[in-house]
Amino acid sequence: MVARVSRSKSLEILDILNSFYSLRRLEVLLGIPYQVLWRYINLLNDPEEKTAEKIVETVKRLRLLEKAAEEAYEKFEGDIYRLARYAGFIKLCSLLIESAVKELGVNYVYSASSEALPLASAVAVKLEAEVCPITCYFRCEGKGVATIHYISRAHGEIRFITVPKSCLQSERKAIIVDIVVDDLDKLSALKTLMAKFKVKPLALVALQTQHSILELEKLELGEVKILYPWSSQR
């Protein structure tokens, strides 16, 4: 069983890296002939257990996933929202998020913004959870949704959050995914709505934040994970 998991993970990592790097470059980075890598990526062959372990260990030691993300950020000229729509980057981030929360028993993956929906959907698929889009900015009434209003200090106006009631079943567990955390009041309102329906927040995950980690932790939405803090420092 351990061997199968190792091989599966190595193939997933290779597929992600191939979204950023050519096989020729991966050959140099991993020390494996590009012809062999091509057969792995196209699922014509499975790597042997030792080879799979070598791939995973080399990627971790050289921080290849992190470096791929940083290089992509430069390539996209610092546009984190555009980068978050790139399929390879979505696969990379969803793998990292899955690794961080897969043992928590997640039922819902809330997309805290429309921009985060592709990433939240990918994470939900990996966790076999339900993706829950959150509608912001305008009021929406109906039997199938729950709405709460809040005063957004970040935007200087009254805004609304609408969540499908199917994503607010009592005693369920949820993580919140966003691209950029830029509105603490929105998250606080979402927490209030979750508490009303007895949904437990497990983690807040975002690519970057405009607020400090301490401010996010004070929201008590579970563990706070900012995947790429370098994107808010450039």
Side-chain angles (χ1 to χ4, degrees), residues 12-186:
E12 183 176 13
I13 289 173
L14 284 178
D15 180 60
I16 291 172
L17 287 175
N18 192 219
S19 297
F20 299 91
Y21 300 134
S22 68
L23 291 178
R24 290 286 190 178
R25 185 170 180 188
L26 288 177
E27 176 182 43
V28 175
L29 293 171
L30 300 175
I32 299 174
Y34 77 91
Q35 300 96 328
V36 176
L37 292 174
W38 182 86
R39 295 185 70 84
Y40 290 161
I41 290 171
N42 287 280
L43 304 180
L44 297 177
N45 289 117
D46 285 336
E48 295 182 356
E49 183 178 352
K50 289 185 178 180
T51 303
E53 291 176 353
K54 175 186 176 182
I55 292 170
V56 174
E57 290 173 2
T58 302
V59 168
K60 182 177 181 180
R61 176 170 51 83
L62 298 180
R63 299 182 66 252
L64 294 183
L65 293 175
E66 292 83 354
K67 290 179 180 178
E70 292 186 22
E71 290 179 19
Y73 183 72
E74 295 287 352
K75 180 180 179 180
F76 281 77
E77 300 179 340
D79 188 340
I80 195 69
Y81 288 103
R82 182 179 166 216
L83 180 57
R85 297 193 298 269
Y86 175 53
F89 191 70
I90 291 173
K91 289 190 289 185
L92 168 54
C93 292
S94 62
L95 172 64
L96 297 177
I97 295 173
E98 179 203 22
S99 299
V101 305
K102 63 182 178 181
E103 303 298 333
L104 300 181
V106 177
N107 304 114
Y108 301 137
V109 179
Y110 289 134
S111 170
S113 62
S114 58
E115 294 87 353
L117 187 54
L119 176 58
S121 299
V123 172
V125 170
K126 295 186 73 65
L127 296 175
E128 297 184 354
E130 185 173 351
V131 62
C132 299
I134 296 174
T135 303
C136 305
Y137 312 130
F138 60 89
R139 189 177 184 86
C140 180
E141 301 287 357
K143 293 183 179 180
V145 298
T147 299
I148 186 173
H149 75 274
Y150 67 98
I151 299 176
S152 172
R153 288 169 293 177
H155 301 282
E157 62 184 14
I158 296 176
R159 291 192 169 189
F160 297 87
I161 289 177
T162 300
V163 181
K165 286 186 177 179
S166 62
C167 292
L168 292 167
Q169 299 299 306
S170 178
E171 308 304 327
R172 297 298 180 92
K173 302 174 183 178
I175 64 171
I176 301 167
V177 174
D178 208 350
I179 304 303
V180 179
V181 178
D182 61 357
D183 191 343
L184 295 179
D185 297 308
K186 176 175 67 174

